[in-house]
Amino acid sequence: MEGSRKYCIFANIMNKHLIINKDMTTAREIIDCLEALRDDEQREVLMRFFKTERGEYGYGDDFLGVRVPQTREVARQAKDVSLSEVPELLMSKWHEVRLCGFLILAMRFERLAAKRLVDDVEAIRKRDEILLLYLEYAERANNWDLVDLSAPKILGHWLLLPTKLGNGTEEYKWRLLDELAQSGNLWRQRMSMVCTWKTTQQGDPSWCLRYAEMLLLHPHDLMHKAVGWMLREMGKRVSMDLLREFLRQHVHEMPRTTLRYAIEKMTETERKQWMAMPVSKHK
């Protein structure tokens, strides 16, 4: 562990170890740092929480037991690492190492999306490069937290910005998300849905509504939750009437989990009315 100690200095704050004051420039240094934070007791908790038993959605995923705030701090210290180092992180067997790689991409993308850089030619090129790298390794975001902590900040933000990909057309953006939604891969499909959180925050409900409808009858509970969550955010941030209209069209077919998530911000009386609606049998 001596090599790891070179890159990790620990400060005990409220009984939690945080990394401080050391920059990292290679994937190996980042991995060493995270491995130095291994916590076997927390590892067992995370393995249960993220459903890693045979037959569960997270089967095969392996954890170090590093908490998310710790991983975020490592990512902040490694924010300037070369993009060429990131694939090694994304290919790691360790969940937290992959998370760190995705967080680094998200942080890098957000810096390049600063207001002063929105139309900057070099910034556009670098944002597109990050997006393509993200999509290339999308299936390495193979648990819901990896998707949720990266898709809105990279893919969702990219939808709102100028791009040189596909000649910079909106049609290209729709086509790219359609391919994710229709891919048959749970994690790519969740990306297409969860990334709409960013577009919804900017007042555009069209992305959310399109992929909520497209993925409404997805068989997996994780997608039921994602669709309902994004519909709820759309109603809260854009229009509750628009949400109600979507529900009127689909309430008899949508999974009850999706409906429960979508109506969370409504009054108790209205929630009970929606939940009392009969459900048609899915084909």
Side-chain angles (χ1 to χ4, degrees):
M1 299 294 287
E2 190 59 38
S4 300
R5 296 181 197 282
K6 177 180 178 183
Y7 305 108
C8 300
I9 297 177
F10 301 105
N12 195 289
I13 302 173
M14 298 179 65
N15 296 318
K16 294 181 180 179
H17 290 297
L18 299 175
I19 310 299
I20 57 173
N21 297 331
K22 288 291 177 181
D23 292 329
M24 288 161 281
T25 58
T26 69
R28 185 66 259 169
E29 291 170 356
I30 294 167
I31 294 168
D32 285 347
C33 191
L34 288 165
E35 288 180 341
L37 289 167
R38 180 174 178 139
D39 181 331
D40 287 335
E41 184 176 341
Q42 179 68 8
R43 176 178 183 272
E44 293 303 315
V45 172
L46 293 174
M47 296 282 280
R48 290 192 298 271
F49 182 74
F50 285 103
K51 308 296 184 184
T52 62
E53 294 294 325
R54 183 178 294 275
E56 296 181 315
Y57 63 76
Y59 177 65
D61 206 353
D62 207 351
F63 288 77
L64 289 165
V66 181
R67 298 176 187 272
V68 173
Q70 295 171 304
T71 305
R72 285 189 186 278
E73 184 61 28
V74 174
R76 278 193 289 270
Q77 291 176 38
K79 64 183 184 300
D80 294 321
V81 69
S82 170
L83 280 185
S84 64
E85 295 288 322
V86 174
E88 184 175 346
L89 302 177
L90 301 182
M91 290 304 296
S92 172
K93 71 172 184 176
W94 299 119
H95 183 103
E96 295 91 340
V97 174
R98 296 197 307 282
L99 174 58
C100 189
F102 285 118
L103 290 175
I104 288 169
L105 291 182
M107 290 176 183
R108 185 78 58 85
F109 191 96
E110 289 191 307
R111 293 209 310 273
L112 291 165
K115 188 174 181 179
R116 64 183 177 81
L117 295 175
V118 166
D119 295 309
D120 181 84
V121 173
E122 183 62 13
I124 293 172
R125 185 191 67 78
K126 290 179 178 178
R127 291 196 304 260
D128 287 346
E129 182 182 8
I130 291 170
L131 176 82
L132 292 176
L133 181 61
Y134 181 64
L135 294 176
E136 181 180 353
Y137 289 91
E139 291 180 25
R140 299 301 294 167
N142 57 347
N143 218 310
W144 59 264
D145 63 319
L146 301 177
V147 172
D148 296 357
L149 291 172
S150 60
K153 292 182 177 181
I154 302 174
L155 180 56
H157 206 161
W158 176 81
L159 294 175
L160 296 164
L161 297 168
T163 178
K164 294 298 183 181
L165 300 176
N167 294 319
T169 64
E170 285 296 301
E171 290 78 9
Y172 176 82
K173 293 179 179 181
W174 288 110
R175 189 166 66 250
L176 187 149
L177 252 66
D178 282 356
E179 289 175 359
L180 289 174
Q182 296 166 357
S183 67
N185 177 270
L186 172 63
W187 309 114
R188 288 179 178 269
Q189 291 172 319
R190 188 174 173 101
M191 281 180 179
S192 71
M193 189 71 251
V194 174
C195 79
T196 69
W197 194 4
K198 190 70 175 183
T199 51
T200 289
Q201 286 175 330
Q202 298 302 310
D204 183 354
S206 60
W207 300 91
C208 173
L209 293 172
R210 178 180 179 87
Y211 296 103
E213 188 164 27
M214 190 178 294
L215 295 164
L216 190 65
L217 300 183
H218 194 285
H220 204 290
D221 183 63
L222 282 178
M223 284 305 305
H224 299 171
K225 293 175 179 177
V227 172
W229 171 28
M230 291 301 103
L231 285 171
R232 182 191 71 210
E233 292 302 307
M234 188 278 297
K236 181 175 71 173
R237 295 176 180 273
V238 180
S239 169
M240 290 299 289
D241 286 338
L242 201 55
L243 172 57
R244 292 185 181 100
E245 178 59 28
F246 184 92
L247 295 179
R248 279 191 287 269
Q249 293 178 30
H250 299 289
V251 66
H252 299 298
E253 61 178 348
M254 65 196 307
R256 295 298 92 173
T257 297
T258 300
L259 180 58
R260 281 195 297 272
Y261 271 61
I263 63 178
E264 280 183 351
K265 296 301 179 180
M266 297 180 179
T267 65
E268 182 179 359
T269 298
E270 187 173 7
R271 290 200 305 272
K272 287 181 177 179
Q273 291 171 347
W274 285 113
M275 291 304 298
M277 294 287 187
V279 183
S280 303
K281 290 185 178 180
H282 297 168
K283 294 182 181 180

